[in-house]
Every structure is written in C-alpha cells, then in structure tokens.
Amino acid sequence: MMPALLRSLVRRSSRRGAFLYPGAEIRDLPGAQGRHPARVRVSVEGQAKAAVEVGRNRLAITAGVFALAFCVIAGRLVDLMALNGGEAEAMAAAMAASDGPVVGAVVARSDIVDRNGVILATNLPTVNLYADTRAILDPEEAARRLVQLFPDMEYGETRDKLASGGHFVYLRRHLTPEQQEAVNLLGQPGLEFEPTERRVYPQGPLAAHVLGATSTDNHGIAGIESSFDRYLLEKAEPLQLSLDVRVQHAVRDVLLKAVDRFHAIAGAALVADVRTGEILALVSLPDYQPEAFSGAPADSRRNRATLGVYEMGSTFKLVNTALGLEVGGYHVTDGFDASHPLRMAGFTIHDDHAQARWLSIEEILVHSSNIGSAKMALAIGGDAQKAFLDRLGLLSPISLELPEVGKPLYPDPWRPINTVTISYGHGVAVTPVHMVNAVMPLVNGGWYRPATLLRQDPEAPPPGHQVVSARTSDTMRSLMRRVVTDGTGRKADVAGYLVGGKTGTAEKNEHGRYRHKALLPSFVAAFPMDDPRYVVLAMLDEPKGIPETHGFAAAGWNAAPTAGAMIARIAPILGVRPRGPETPVAPEVRFATASGDAGRAVH
Amino acid sequence: MRLRGIAVVWGVLAVAAAAGLFRLKYEVIALEERLATLTHAIEADRRAIHVLRAEWSYFNDPDSLDKRVGAKLDLVPMDPAHIIALDALPFRPKPVGETAGGPARPPRVLNPGSAAPIPVPGQKPATLAEYTVMRTQP
C-alpha cells in the first residue's frame, strides 16, 4: 500500500494520471477492496522525518507561548478588574499600616492639654488670602474694595501688590470664616485662598509662661511649644501637661491681686505635688498673650519662676535647718547663742527679729535668726553645706521641660563668709522652681523627685531618691508648722489645712550691691502638714509697704498672706479635706465617733 | 461530543466569570465611592469637632467664667469652712421642753403579743400574767 502511495505521489509529480480528489491517492485504488477506509501508515525516513519533527516542535512552542500570553492577559485582566491593578492592595496595605483614614491628626500640630484634658493650645484651620494678579481685572477697584473690608490694610500698598504681576502675592494671613465669605462675596477674580492653620490659646495668658509661643509658621519658639516642637508636629495625640487650669487660674488670680495690692513690679508662684514632682500651677507675672508673643515686652516674656535666679533669703533657712538635723546630727532642742551680732570678714550679721539670747534650732527657724543659722552652718562646715545644697539640686540647672531654665549662681571658692551668708539665703541664687524642688523632700519623707511639667501616672509615681531621712522630714514638717502658728508666717495660715512654711525677705542684689528698699519677699509653704500633699511658693518683686501692712514690705506681710490665700483657694479644688473642728463639735458627736474613726472628725 | 460539551462548559464558565467580575468591579467602585464620601464626611465632622472643642475651651476659660459668675451669680469661691465631714455634723437638736432625765417616750415593746403596749380605749390592756414571762433586755 505504501509503495502505491509513493508511486501515486511520484506519478502525480511526474506525469498526468487519472484525476484524483485530494486525498484519494491515499485510498485504495478503485476496485481493489471495495470502499474501505485506507489503512495508511506513514513512515518517513531521514530528512523528511527531521522536517516533521521540527514542524511539530515549532507548533508546540508557539502554542505554549500563546497559552502563556493568554494566561498573562487573563491574570492582568483579573488584576485590573478585581484588584484595580495593585492600587487596591497598596490602599489596603496603607490602611493596615496606619490606623485607618479617620484616625490621623486633624491638624498639623497637636494640642497641648492640661491634666484634666482642657485644651491649652490647639491649631485651628484658617485661610490665607493671596492674589493671582494675572487674573485681576482692575487692581485699583479690587484694592479699594479690599481696603473697605479690612480697614487696617493700606490702599496704596494693596494696589501695588495687586498690580505687581506675580501669581502668588500674599495679601493677608489667617482670615476668619466671616472674612473669607466677605472676600468671596466681592466676586473679584484673582483673589484666592490658601488653607493653613493657626495656633490658638483658648485660655489666653493663663499658662503663657508654660506654653511659650509659636512662630507664624507653627514652630515653637518658647516654652513647652519649643521644647516639644518635634513631638507636637509628629504625634497625633495631645501632649498632656501636669498643670491644672483651675489651680493655675486660682493661683494667677490671687497673685495678680497681690501684685496689684502691694504695688509689686512682678511676681511668681508655683504649686507642686510632693508625691510626684508634678507642677500644678506655674505663674510668672507680668505675662503675655501667647498669640502676641513677639510683640510682648521682654519683661513680660521673662519667666521668673524658672529662668530668673534669685537669692531667696530666709526661706533658705529651711535647707539650713535640714542640714543641721541631717548632716550635723543636731536635735531641734540643741541651740546656738544668738545674743550678739556675728562679725566676720568685715561684715556684721544682725537679726531682723532679734531675740538677743540663746536660741534652739527650732527657735532659730521660727524667729528666722540669721546669727543662729550662720553659727550652725559654720559648725557644720562649708564643704558639707555645699554637698547638701547640691544633693537638694540647688546648685545645678533644674531639669524642667522648658528651654527657659536658669542656672544657679554660687560662689567659687566657697569661703566661710559664703557659708555664713548662704545659711540665711544670700550668696546663692536659684530659681523659684529650685526652691520648691528642694522643699519637697523636706516634707514628703525625704524623697527627691525632679519637678516636671508632664503629667505622671498616679499609680506609678516617678522613682525618686532619698536625700534626707524620714525622721528629718518629720521634724521639718513640725518646724514649718511652728513657723506658721508661732513665727513669721502667721498670716499664711488657713484654718483646717495645717499650713506650714517659711518666709524669706531678700534684698535685691544689683551690680554687687544690696538695695535695702528693693525687697524680694517670698513664702514657701506646704500643706496639710500632717500628710503634705502640695508645696506652694509665692514670690513678689519689690512690693511696697502699704497702710494695711503698717508700711512693712517683709514677706510676713505680703508673701505669706498671698500664699495663704492661694492655699485657701486651691485646697478645696485639689480635694484636700480640711482637718480640725471647723465648727464646734457637740459632745455627743465626739462620743458617737469615739468608737469609729474619731481622728477624722475631731482631730 | 465530549469535547464539545467541555467547550460549552468552559464557555459558560468564562462568560459567568466575566459577568461576575464586571458586576464585582462596579460594586467595588460603588463601595469605594461610598467609603470616600463617608471618610470625607467623617473628616469634616472631626474638623468641626476639633474647632468646637477649641471653642468650648475658649468659652470655659476660668478667668472669664470667674468674672461672669462674680457678676451674675451669688457664688463665691469655696472656702475650707464650707466643707465638713459627715460624722462631724451635729445631731438634730432636741425638741424644746424635753428634759434630759425623763423623756416622754412610749414604752418599749418587750413582749410582742396581742396586747397593745399603750392602753388605748377599746383595747385590752396587758395583763400581769404576760409580764411574768417577759425577759428584760440587757
């Protein structure tokens, strides 16, 4: 059969034979075996076989390539149709990475809030007005109408700006929504708005010296705004301070009235929690509107509570007494002869409230004796005094979260005359925050915790380190209470709150000379003295004697009552329960409570 | 025939997949539009809330509140004398005319029974027999 096929092929090519339909040649020849299908076995040999193999391979490869291409197209189609060409995946990944589109910050700079979440500083969205001057049809008309709207804009300048030909000329920053609408209603083409944000301080000057200020491009230039600039720009959640606006307001209010009443040129006040070191109120007067920081006078911008360093005067005797008890190992009943003024290195040390007799350590503090303090410090020695002051943080800059922190001034070398003057608060200049921070361990059982402006976790107070013993702290508490009940601080007492403290009246040192008429009275207090919670400091700068104080300008007459008034205002806010029988207690009440918690009712 | 069947099945599947994908595509677009609308609305609300919170803080400035309260209300800052512990409150004062020695109290009911402790007209008074079994309270 095969030879027949080959023959027919040969025949077909070589000569014309009988007509055959295509394919007929591979069938049996007519009449051979009826019309049975051909049984053909193609067997190609040699070159022909190779050609067929090549053809088949090419076919297979082409089919494979096509199949692959179609698969790719199908995959791409599914990708495009169902998954948006990777866009959806990218979106999903972005959503998973962030917390979703509606969690991020609303504004570019996060809020500053007080310990209760009251907003102290926030960004508000506003618009800037600019002009695309190429689109302005009539600069003179547009300028005229803009000046009508904003009377503080100058016509000539505005017209020149509008006619300048620039396509982005700022006309006015931070329009209110009403102003924006008014500009829109002008219907002037070429007046455009640029969305922006503005830092606002809803409480005004209340916490100005803590917050600081921001520049027009929303960067901190003072206070917390400056020290936490990166935090505020990067984090979405607000920055929570330790301040309490209620306390801050009460303290500022009382201090404002005191500055006014005693004709002082300035004042500062602090309230701090002795358990955590948190500062609840920090006031420095005069203060400023944070929005108008750059225009405020330098005197207002000066933070007297943290930047100004002052010789604190007799309030330092608290530190000196603690030095005697802790380092000197004295007992409160030990004493020194204060009957004669002390002469040393050409100076004579007098007492302001001279008792002219032998005084116990307790009496030295209560009567604020310079002579007794000096003799005690001399007995202990200058090196121990310096080391103790350093332990209380009085010789190094305070670690407060503000850029405006003052560096203490102290003598070098530390001569015996310095030991004498420092014992009663002259010769070392510290900030009021230093003073508060040093008094805290004297009343809280001896624990030094750096003062902070950030809210601390009440469950986990920051770890402190013990700088004086609990026994010294206990003694200091009762001594401070004695100063208020029997000594120079009587006017600071607030019935029920067991206030303890110490007055200090420093003479201001200007160009190395002390001015007798320029006083810096201060009062540092803690309350309630049976379990101190808060330290309060009030300081007035150059108050004058007034008829109500019989012309005196010493701390007992102005700073002490100011601190007392602050405590009376803030203690109920802070939830400190008054002690002692505020109302006469009937005998049967005493009887009824005798079995129960009597100590609480009739202390 | 089998081949043709398979082809038909594949064809139907392909058309179904195409139709499904088409539907899905438009559903996704609609959902995305809705998401964008909602997100936009939420963002607008959050901005409004942000502004309102600032406004709330502004109107609750303690200084201005203090001034307004002082001008319009009879409130004063709280004073330590305004706070008292509950157990320091005195008892209710005794009625006038009552003596410490012999208050006119009704007798205590020591033997709850049928007899009224206080003789009331029309009621049977307590008998002596009942009092014999009474136990005195300490």
Side-chain angles (χ1 to χ4, degrees):
Chain A
M1 259 153 289
M2 206 37 60
L5 171 64
L6 285 177
R7 243 182 284 126
S8 73
L9 283 173
V10 171
R11 219 186 296 144
R12 203 178 150 206
S13 60
S14 60
R15 58 182 169 94
R16 295 182 70 90
F19 175 77
L20 288 170
Y21 285 100
E25 69 272 18
I26 59 170
R27 288 180 187 161
D28 283 350
L29 292 172
Q33 275 186 3
R35 293 185 58 88
H36 291 290
R39 286 216 178 127
V40 184
R41 286 201 50 182
V42 182
S43 156
V44 246
E45 300 293 332
Q47 226 177 349
K49 183 181 175 184
V52 170
E53 283 294 313
V54 167
R56 189 184 288 163
N57 285 348
R58 282 180 184 167
L59 199 66
I61 288 166
T62 315
V65 168
F66 268 93
L68 215 66
F70 275 109
C71 277
V72 168
I73 288 170
R76 181 69 183 145
L77 269 178
V78 169
D79 186 32
L80 276 178
M81 296 268 280
L83 304 173
N84 259 348
E87 203 180 292
E89 267 175 47
M91 216 162 97
M95 274 190 187
S98 70
D99 298 323
V102 290
V103 179
V106 178
V107 287
R109 195 177 173 85
S110 51
D111 295 355
I112 302 177
V113 299
D114 87 336
R115 63 187 301 111
N116 303 312
V118 177
I119 294 173
L120 297 172
T122 186
N123 265 26
L124 282 187
T126 59
V127 291
N128 287 342
L129 177 65
Y130 71 92
D132 182 358
T133 52
R134 294 169 307 181
I136 287 183
L137 304 173
D138 181 356
E140 300 204 350
E141 162 77 359
R144 198 175 53 74
R145 300 192 66 173
L146 272 177
V147 171
Q148 265 179 3
L149 213 56
F150 304 110
D152 56 324
M153 282 168 78
E154 208 189 324
Y155 171 73
E157 193 187 330
T158 311
R159 186 200 52 207
D160 292 348
K161 275 184 183 174
L162 292 178
S164 65
H167 66 279
F168 195 91
V169 182
Y170 272 124
L171 292 174
R172 198 179 171 85
R173 281 177 184 273
H174 302 311
L175 267 64
T176 65
E178 286 88 359
Q179 291 171 333
Q180 187 188 3
E181 193 176 351
V183 172
N184 266 333
L185 285 176
L186 292 182
Q188 291 280 342
L191 294 181
E192 308 281 349
F193 300 106
E194 175 200 38
T196 179
E197 288 174 10
R198 182 182 196 176
R199 197 71 167 160
V200 294
Y201 301 87
Q203 318 282 337
L206 185 61
H209 282 288
V210 176
L211 298 173
T214 48
S215 58
T216 41
D217 57 351
N218 277 326
H219 276 278
I221 48 174
I224 286 281
E225 295 273 24
S226 169
S227 46
F228 284 87
D229 199 32
R230 276 194 52 196
Y231 176 100
L232 291 167
L233 286 170
E234 285 169 8
K235 298 273 173 121
E237 65 263 32
L239 178 68
Q240 192 159 35
L241 300 186
S242 61
L243 291 187
D244 184 324
V245 285
R246 303 167 303 168
V247 177
Q248 177 82 10
H249 166 67
V251 168
R252 183 170 177 270
D253 194 37
V254 171
L255 190 67
L256 265 176
K257 283 176 183 149
V259 165
D260 185 45
R261 181 162 177 230
F262 300 112
H263 310 295
I265 55 170
L270 282 159
V271 178
D273 187 331
V274 301
R275 295 184 185 172
T276 58
E278 290 171 299
I279 290 177
L280 295 179
L282 190 158
V283 182
S284 168
L285 291 177
D287 50 17
Y288 56 90
Q289 284 285 351
E291 287 97 339
F293 178 74
S294 49
D299 190 41
S300 298
R301 304 202 310 214
R302 182 177 168 75
N303 188 341
R304 281 157 217 275
T306 64
L307 182 62
V309 290
Y310 308 96
E311 293 176 290
M312 296 300 288
S314 302
T315 46
F316 244 67
K317 283 175 189 155
L318 289 174
V319 176
N320 195 56
T321 308
L323 169 75
L325 299 172
E326 179 76 16
V327 182
Y330 296 116
H331 193 260
V332 273
T333 51
D334 298 339
F336 295 88
D337 182 17
S339 52
H340 301 292
L342 179 70
R343 289 196 177 78
M344 194 171 191
F347 293 93
T348 309
I349 315 301
H350 296 280
D351 275 357
D352 292 333
H353 313 269
Q355 307 290 311
R357 58 182 172 89
W358 184 92
L359 294 171
S360 70
I361 287 181
E362 179 172 11
E363 288 170 319
I364 289 172
L365 188 69
V366 170
H367 298 301
S368 199
S369 164
N370 294 344
I371 304 166
S373 300
K375 286 193 170 174
M376 182 160 67
L378 281 174
I380 293 163
D383 291 340
Q385 187 190 34
K386 187 177 179 183
F388 189 69
L389 259 58
D390 197 27
R391 212 153 97 194
L392 290 176
L394 289 168
L395 301 183
S396 45
I398 208 87
S399 64
L400 203 64
E401 298 87 353
L402 286 180
E404 300 92 1
V405 282
K407 197 171 179 296
L409 303 175
Y410 55 88
D412 190 28
W414 197 284
R415 296 194 183 89
I417 182 64
N418 301 125
T419 302
V420 166
T421 57
I422 287 163
S423 74
Y424 56 84
H426 284 79
V428 167
V430 297
T431 67
V433 179
H434 274 104
M435 203 58 223
V436 165
N437 215 353
V439 168
M440 275 195 263
L442 301 187
V443 296
N444 73 358
W447 292 91
Y448 182 89
R449 290 187 186 91
T452 176
L453 277 167
L454 297 184
R455 184 168 187 195
Q456 307 294 316
D457 183 2
E459 302 301 320
H465 60 274
Q466 194 142 22
V467 291
V468 297
S469 66
R471 196 159 144 265
T472 302
S473 170
D474 278 351
T475 313
M476 288 307 298
R477 280 188 212 170
S478 53
L479 288 179
M480 285 168 77
R481 180 67 187 146
R482 278 290 311 277
V483 172
V484 171
T485 53
D486 307 315
T488 50
R490 287 194 193 92
K491 289 184 190 305
D493 201 14
V494 183
Y497 284 122
L498 302 176
V499 179
K502 182 74 188 82
T503 54
T505 310
E507 285 166 6
K508 282 173 83 173
N509 184 339
E510 275 176 23
H511 314 298
R513 294 185 64 85
Y514 288 102
R515 290 165 55 202
H516 290 284
K517 290 288 168 197
L519 299 180
L520 193 87
S522 59
F523 190 81
V524 55
F527 73 96
M529 265 318 188
D530 57 348
D531 178 21
R533 285 302 319 274
Y534 301 101
V535 169
V536 176
L537 179 141
M539 189 180 91
L540 294 168
D541 193 352
E542 289 190 37
K544 314 293 181 293
I546 56 169
E548 291 96 311
T549 67
H550 314 290
F552 291 113
W557 291 98
N558 43 45
T562 305
M566 284 174 188
I567 292 170
R569 280 281 293 276
I570 65 174
I573 297 173
L574 292 169
V576 178
R577 214 170 42 77
R579 271 72 163 167
E582 289 301 307
T583 52
V585 178
E588 62 212 281
V589 175
R590 209 164 291 173
F591 184 68
T593 56
S595 58
D597 193 3
R600 272 182 21 210
V602 282
H603 197 84
Chain B
M1 261 338 257
R2 259 183 64 209
L3 234 151
R4 193 175 296 168
I6 289 166
V8 167
V9 167
W10 276 111
V12 167
L13 274 179
V15 169
L21 272 177
F22 187 78
R23 260 187 58 98
L24 189 69
K25 169 93 183 159
Y26 278 88
E27 208 170 310
V28 166
I29 288 173
L31 280 174
E32 267 171 3
E33 266 169 24
R34 194 171 139 68
L35 178 67
T37 317
L38 282 177
T39 309
H40 191 261
I42 291 168
E43 282 298 323
D45 280 352
R46 288 179 70 216
R47 268 198 301 279
I49 290 168
H50 183 87
V51 173
L52 287 172
R53 273 169 50 88
E55 203 171 339
W56 170 259
S57 183
Y58 173 74
F59 284 122
N60 278 292
D61 165 29
D63 205 36
S64 62
L65 275 188
D66 200 354
K67 286 200 183 86
R68 259 179 275 170
V69 167
K72 302 214 193 297
L73 297 174
D74 283 339
L75 296 176
V76 289
M78 192 150 68
D79 184 81
H82 297 153
I83 307 167
I84 193 165
L86 190 62
D87 46 10
L89 284 174
F91 285 122
R92 190 205 311 231
K94 287 174 184 148
V96 188
E98 192 177 287
T99 54
R105 289 195 187 119
R108 290 182 299 167
V109 183
L110 299 173
N111 56 334
S114 56
I118 303 169
V120 182
Q123 289 275 327
K124 182 183 149 202
T127 60
L128 201 64
E130 284 169 344
Y131 279 105
T132 57
V133 294
M134 101 185 168
R135 266 188 304 249
T136 315
Q137 300 273 321

